[in-house]
Amino acid sequence: MRVLMFGWEFPPYQAGGLATATSGLVKGLLRNGVDVTLVVPFQVEDAGIPGLRLRSTVGAKGRWKRIRVPSPVQAYHTVEQYALQWEETKRGTGGRGNPYGANLFEEIERFAEIAEDIAAEEPHDVIDCHDWITYPAARRAAAVSGRPLVAHLHATERDRSGDGANPEIQRREREGVLAAHRIICNSRMMKRQVVAEYGAVPGRVAVVPWGIDEQVAKADLEVPRPFGDDAPVVLFLGRVTRQKGPEFFVEVARRVADVEPETRFLMVGTGDLLPRIIERTVALGLAERVHFAGGLSGPDVDRAFRMATVCVMPSVSEPFGLVALESLRSGTPCILPRESGVAEVVRHALRADFWDVEQMADQVVGVLRHRVLHRELQRRGAAEVRSPRFSLDEPARGTARVYREAMNVSTGGG
């Protein structure tokens, strides 16, 4: 089976979990005998994954002239964030020769245009795409080749933006999922949302939870101890945006610090709420206890998990939550949002409502004070995510089944 896949993120180009999820899926598909050609909107070099054919739309021949410049395009940007970042990029290049549009939708259409040419050149049996930002490219590719379309939906615009959801993005999401022969969601929660909000036929929506790369951080990886060997560390790792609930994390931090004053709080990530969160930590008297590490990648992420005593995920909306699997794999107990995709499949982690800062604070204090509880969560969580149930093979096999269903439907097989 040959898959033509359209993605917007892929390591090392990533703003959130989409790159990790795409990379893991590709690895699993390849080792299960599925050929993958992945098309991305940035310059590619070595994919770092044997067998993957990685193609870039940068420099591709077409009606648009392509010049390699710093790009403001990120998968998790809102339209407004894209415009602000574009202005910064333009200033950084002196306003000279930037071929990227100030409008995110223009850039998506450029990507989609090149997708038509690639679909005509690349042999494939099925087309796969990730989130609304690649749906136009996949739809135009399917119109050229006549091959069935499978749409992954990792999160909806409502998940990312809440009441401030962009109606144009929602329209494009609806068009994409309704045009697909099959839709893949990463949780039952996500499936219910797609059916309710976009009118997707339930029988066409498959639930395929994500797995995680079995590779574990090296045992000899140097783990920094900037706060001393005995200081407990509470970790937040994710985009500092409304969706991930960073404001609830700092409220938890205030309550934990009141009873465990030696505790330090580490926030890893960037996002539009970062200035507001910094201001709030100062207002709460936490300026010397909350530490902002910015965005991290690769071994630095492993170090952050391993230096932490517990990881807290206060996400307002979390269709899945790969951070939880990464935390548990590293041996760091995790507190999950009760209404999250990962909470549907992970057993050995604590749960709380994102808004219930009192309960989250109580759980953090319990993990910090009770060594037996910490040790059991650590041991059982690590063993769970290293089981075959969370390997990369499971989502790959589930996705391949959906591919075959889509191919069967497109040929009139039911």
Side-chain angles (χ1 to χ4, degrees):
M1 187 188 308
R2 300 165 299 182
V3 179
L4 179 61
M5 183 180 292
F6 293 91
W8 203 258
E9 283 195 10
F10 199 74
Y13 296 92
Q14 64 184 94
L18 181 58
T20 303
T22 305
S23 175
L25 177 61
V26 166
K27 289 179 182 178
L29 289 171
L30 289 170
R31 69 191 199 190
N32 279 274
V34 178
D35 293 332
V36 181
T37 298
L38 176 63
V39 183
V40 293
F42 46 79
Q43 190 66 51
V44 300
E45 296 177 1
D46 180 10
I49 301 177
L52 171 62
R53 179 167 168 76
L54 192 59
R55 290 199 59 173
S56 170
T57 57
V58 176
K61 293 181 179 179
R63 285 165 285 173
W64 296 92
K65 182 179 179 181
R66 295 273 167 167
I67 305 169
R68 178 59 180 163
V69 298
S71 172
V73 179
Q74 294 184 24
Y76 291 100
H77 266 172
T78 64
V79 174
E80 293 77 13
Q81 289 169 334
Y82 177 92
L84 290 173
Q85 186 63 41
W86 183 82
E87 289 295 332
E88 292 180 7
T89 300
K90 185 171 65 174
R91 287 196 297 271
T93 59
R96 300 183 304 273
N98 189 341
Y100 293 93
N103 187 310
L104 175 59
F105 300 123
E106 292 178 6
E107 181 59 22
I108 292 170
E109 289 306 314
R110 296 183 186 211
F111 183 64
E113 179 193 314
I114 304 301
E116 293 183 357
D117 297 332
I118 292 176
E121 300 169 359
E122 290 286 346
H124 59 282
D125 303 304
V126 63
I127 295 169
D128 192 355
C129 53
H130 294 271
D131 273 355
W132 74 275
I133 212 160
T134 64
Y135 289 171
R139 292 177 64 191
R140 290 172 70 166
V144 168
S145 69
R147 298 296 188 264
L149 172 60
V150 174
H152 277 274
L153 191 60
H154 300 264
T156 67
E157 170 65 1
R158 184 168 297 280
D159 289 315
R160 292 182 293 266
S161 304
D163 293 338
N166 185 299
E168 176 62 15
I169 293 178
Q170 290 181 306
R171 183 187 69 79
R172 289 170 179 245
E173 278 182 343
R174 180 181 294 106
E175 287 183 350
V177 299
L178 295 182
H181 292 82
R182 286 291 184 269
I183 305 154
I184 297 178
C185 294
N186 48 29
S187 65
R188 295 190 298 274
M189 179 190 74
M190 185 84 267
K191 176 177 179 176
R192 291 192 296 270
Q193 189 175 345
V194 172
V195 171
E197 289 190 17
Y198 294 149
V201 177
R204 292 171 52 202
V205 185
V207 175
V208 181
W210 290 121
I212 192 169
D213 200 328
E214 296 83 354
Q215 181 180 354
V216 181
K218 295 181 180 179
D220 61 352
L221 181 69
E222 182 181 355
V223 179
R225 298 292 180 190
F227 316 121
D229 292 339
D230 298 327
V233 177
V234 181
L235 174 67
F236 170 98
L237 192 146
R239 288 175 288 113
V240 187
T241 62
R242 170 208 163 271
Q243 183 185 356
K244 300 301 180 180
E247 64 272 34
F248 297 106
F249 180 79
V250 295
E251 298 300 330
V252 169
R254 178 64 272 170
R255 287 158 176 78
V256 173
D258 287 341
V259 295
E260 292 289 332
E262 299 302 315
T263 305
R264 300 300 184 105
F265 304 88
L266 179 62
M267 295 196 70
V268 175
T270 61
D272 63 293
L273 290 187
L274 185 57
R276 186 188 309 175
I277 297 303
I278 293 174
E279 291 176 359
R280 182 58 178 161
T281 61
V282 173
L284 289 171
L286 294 169
E288 296 182 356
R289 298 181 186 181
V290 180
H291 306 268
F292 297 88
L296 300 180
S297 61
D300 288 334
V301 173
D302 293 327
R303 291 188 180 94
F305 280 123
R306 292 180 62 185
M307 70 184 288
T309 312
V310 60
C311 177
V312 178
M313 294 176 61
S315 302
V316 174
S317 177
E318 194 63 79
F320 190 73
L322 276 172
V323 165
L325 300 188
E326 293 173 332
S327 180
L328 297 177
R329 181 186 63 183
S330 298
T332 304
C334 193
I335 299 174
L336 312 178
R338 195 183 307 278
E339 297 296 327
S340 64
V342 71
E344 297 175 2
V345 293
V346 165
R347 302 187 184 97
H348 299 292
L350 300 176
R351 291 162 171 76
D353 294 310
F354 71 87
W355 46 263
D356 195 342
V357 295
E358 299 292 346
Q359 183 183 19
M360 280 189 284
D362 286 344
Q363 291 175 337
V364 169
V365 172
V367 173
L368 299 186
R369 288 182 174 177
H370 302 290
R371 294 183 181 274
V372 173
L373 174 61
H374 179 271
R375 190 161 54 246
E376 282 300 296
L377 288 172
Q378 185 179 51
R379 181 179 65 84
R380 293 174 182 267
E384 181 176 17
V385 298
R386 291 171 189 166
S387 70
R389 189 162 61 96
F390 288 102
S391 72
L392 296 182
D393 291 321
E394 282 300 302
R397 284 193 283 262
T399 300
R401 284 194 296 271
V402 177
Y403 289 162
R404 288 190 288 269
E405 291 175 6
M407 293 165 61
N408 188 42
V409 169
S410 71
T411 56

